[in-house]
Amino acid sequence: MPRIRPAYRMPGLLVIAHAPLASALRSVAEHVYPDCSGSLAALDVSAGMPAEQVEAQAAALLGRLATPEVLILTDVFGATPCNIAQRLADGVHIKVVTGVNVPMLWRSLCYRSEPIDSLVGRALAGGVQG
């Protein structure tokens, strides 16, 4: 009897960055990949925004992506967006890459059908080579 494989869900992408970078990156992504809006979320972190509020909004966006795996892209290691992302990441299903830029995001979207570990490598390569 043939085995039935469960349907594979592509990893979601969440950009958490200082305002207005996250929404600007989402706009650039939608310009090139108009079909990405269901798998890409963005959270702009404004100056003075309490960390608890940022974390709650990020967790809500993760829930809206409705996928078991998510790659979170942040702008600066050690800053609030990255710290929140690290709190949400489990290292297995939710992973974090810092230093987000346009080539990193485009590469992540281009290869979003790959498993999360492969997607992390693609994102890093895009950020470095772009």
Side-chain angles (χ1 to χ4, degrees):
M1 177 185 301
R3 285 188 182 191
I4 298 173
R5 297 179 72 188
Y8 174 71
R9 286 281 315 226
M10 290 187 281
L13 294 170
L14 172 59
V15 179
I16 306 175
H18 292 88
L21 182 59
S23 58
L25 286 169
R26 181 183 170 120
S27 292
V28 168
E30 289 174 341
H31 176 76
V32 175
Y33 296 94
D35 64 333
C36 76
S37 61
S39 61
L40 174 63
L43 176 59
D44 286 314
V45 179
S46 301
M49 204 170 168
E52 298 79 22
Q53 181 183 357
V54 176
E55 187 169 357
Q57 289 180 1
L61 288 172
L62 286 174
R64 278 191 234 143
L65 286 172
T67 182
E69 295 183 326
V70 176
L71 175 58
I72 303 175
L73 304 174
T74 69
D75 52 359
V76 180
F77 182 76
T80 299
C82 181
N83 293 339
I84 297 303
Q86 288 178 317
R87 284 188 216 163
L88 296 171
D90 62 10
V92 177
H93 301 290
I94 301 173
K95 299 195 176 200
V96 178
V97 174
T98 63
V100 66
N101 57 35
V102 172
M104 178 186 289
L105 181 57
W106 282 353
R107 182 81 57 103
S108 298
L109 288 165
C110 181
Y111 293 99
R112 67 182 179 242
S113 64
E114 294 186 4
I116 189 84
D117 289 329
S118 179
L119 191 57
V120 167
R122 299 284 192 177
L124 291 170
V128 171
Q129 296 169 356

